[in-house]
Amino acid sequence: MRRDLVSALFWLAVAIFAAAQGLALKLGSLKQPGSGFFPFWGGVVLGLLSLVLVARSLGRQSAAGPLVRPESSRLLVVAGAILGYVLLLERAGFVAVTFAFLLLLLRLERRGWAFSAATAGAGAAASWALFQLWLKTQLPLGPLGF
Amino acid sequence: MEIVQGVLYGFQVALQPINLLYCFVGVLIGTLVGVLPGLGPAAAIALLLPSTFSASPVSAVIMLAGIYYGAMYGGSTTSILVNIPGEAASVVTCLDGHAMARQGRAGAALGIAAFGSFIAGTLSVVLLTFLAPFLARVTLSFGPPEYFALMVLGLTLLTYFARESMVKALMMAAVGLLCGVVGQDTISGRLRFSFGIRTLEDGLGLVPVIMGLFGISEVLLNLETRDQDRDIFAAPTTGLLPTREDWRRSALPILRGSALGFGLGILPGAGAIIASFASYAVVGMMTFSPGRWAKIDDRLFECWKPCPQPRPTIARMTSGTLIWPLDI
């Protein structure tokens, strides 16, 4: 299973990073654990389990499927858009970023421009009205004041 | 005798028409807000607190309790229909409730969630009324070793939830533990894995994590499947009332879950999440039904229901985990 192998290697890297960070933070003793105790041992356990998964996936190499499917590109775009949403939210304001995000999602679903723009506009405006006007939550404001 | 007098006086106050109205309004708007993904009971109460300012203190507390339960139930609605838990305790409702909705039984799942919640909640309140002084002593004697044991129990339950690969389940448990250490160390105050980002210094909130885990993965999964393969619920949501057969099957699970949820739900801090998962696991193990879907129905009958109930009351008394009634 190549996909298992890739994810196991990813988590192995995370485990090594966590354990290294834990070491840098001081481990302490079993009776008086330091700040790094949990990250270090958590990383060690995760690393060992990842190695088990690596070994298992290498043993079942014959069952390999395609790692990247044609649909995966859309997935990457959306994952990137979610990240972009988080990064831009504070700067561009809730309404603008939500509108752009919804528009992108609807276009990815192969809807027409007019329908996408109208739905995205309505969605952004409705959530702004709900959270800002009714529930009085403080949403990030953009340069235009909303 | 004193307790009975107190209960009767409580009924006398609570059953006044104006207080019933406040309760109804609280439950209604609580449900409406609770349906919004990510807004759990605590957030709903915080947002709607100003709406109780004009009421008398007693009515305000009644309305807030209504908002609490409404939001709790609203969370299970999104769990069942769109697989996005409104708050941490309704994660287990997602597991089987959404599976039922996919089978076209969303109405039954919603009805069962409501009735199970009501029955277990009522039982918990009755138990709590009479056992509160004793339970307060027990809860206070819970120290770090007991909590540690409870956490180990929580992690052990994972082995039951692992459906495909045990290695992967244990790996994700380790990842969860690592996510838990993000932010400020509670003992030394040192920052861990915050990378200079201020939001991370507070640690990772449980609600955003489960929302992302369930909600965003649902969106991504939908994008990955081809349009024609995607299943959309076209069936109308009907049949909210459980049938006689449903009641017969669910009576014992509801009682078992109430007892277990009550026992675990009173512990300050650990509360609803462990209680809901433990109830789910135990009922799953104790339910013997021939068909897979039947089994899932039975489990759903109770899974998260009982736990939220005791939490606000006892926690207020013992540890102050949920101190909203004192805020007023």
Side-chain angles (χ1 to χ4, degrees), chain B residues 127-214:
Chain B
L127 278 176
L128 195 65
T129 310
F130 292 101
L131 297 179
F134 168 70
L135 286 173
R137 276 202 301 280
V138 173
T139 322
L140 279 176
S141 66
F142 240 69
E146 287 83 4
Y147 273 112
F148 178 75
L150 202 64
M151 291 303 145
V152 173
L153 169 76
L155 292 172
T156 317
L157 283 177
L158 268 176
T159 52
Y160 173 73
F161 288 105
R163 290 190 182 174
E164 281 180 36
S165 156
M166 185 62 75
V167 177
K168 286 183 191 169
L170 294 174
M171 271 172 76
M172 289 306 109
V175 172
L177 287 176
L178 287 178
C179 288
V181 302
V182 171
Q184 208 168 31
D185 179 10
T186 42
I187 294 170
S188 69
R190 294 180 73 171
L191 295 173
R192 299 184 286 200
F193 301 114
S194 62
F195 309 110
I197 301 171
R198 248 194 302 164
T199 320
L200 287 182
E201 288 174 10
D202 258 353
L204 296 176
L206 191 63
V207 172
V209 169
I210 57 168
M211 288 277 304
L213 207 61
F214 282 81

Side-chain angles (χ1 to χ4, degrees), chain A residues 4 11 17-18 21 25 35 38-39 42-43 46 49-50 52-53 56 69 71 74-75 78 82 109-110 130-131 134-135 137, chain B residues 33 36 39 47-48 167-168 170-172 174-175 177-178 181 185 188 190-193 195 216 220 223-227 230:
Chain A
D4 271 4
W11 289 117
F17 174 74
Q21 289 273 310
L25 281 167
S35 329
F38 233 85
L46 181 62
L49 289 167
S50 311
V52 173
L53 195 60
R56 279 194 180 183
R69 283 177 282 179
E71 292 83 10
R74 290 209 288 176
L75 215 103
V78 172
I82 292 172
E109 288 285 283
R110 301 185 190 88
L130 182 67
F131 287 102
W134 187 49
L135 294 174
T137 354
Chain B
V33 173
L36 299 173
L39 284 182
L47 285 171
L48 297 171
V167 177
K168 286 183 191 169
L170 294 174
M171 271 172 76
M172 289 306 109
V175 172
L177 287 176
L178 287 178
V181 302
D185 179 10
S188 69
R190 294 180 73 171
L191 295 173
R192 299 184 286 200
F193 301 114
F195 309 110
I216 294 183
L220 294 181
L223 277 167
E224 210 187 21
T225 46
R226 292 192 186 87
D227 290 351
R230 210 173 287 172

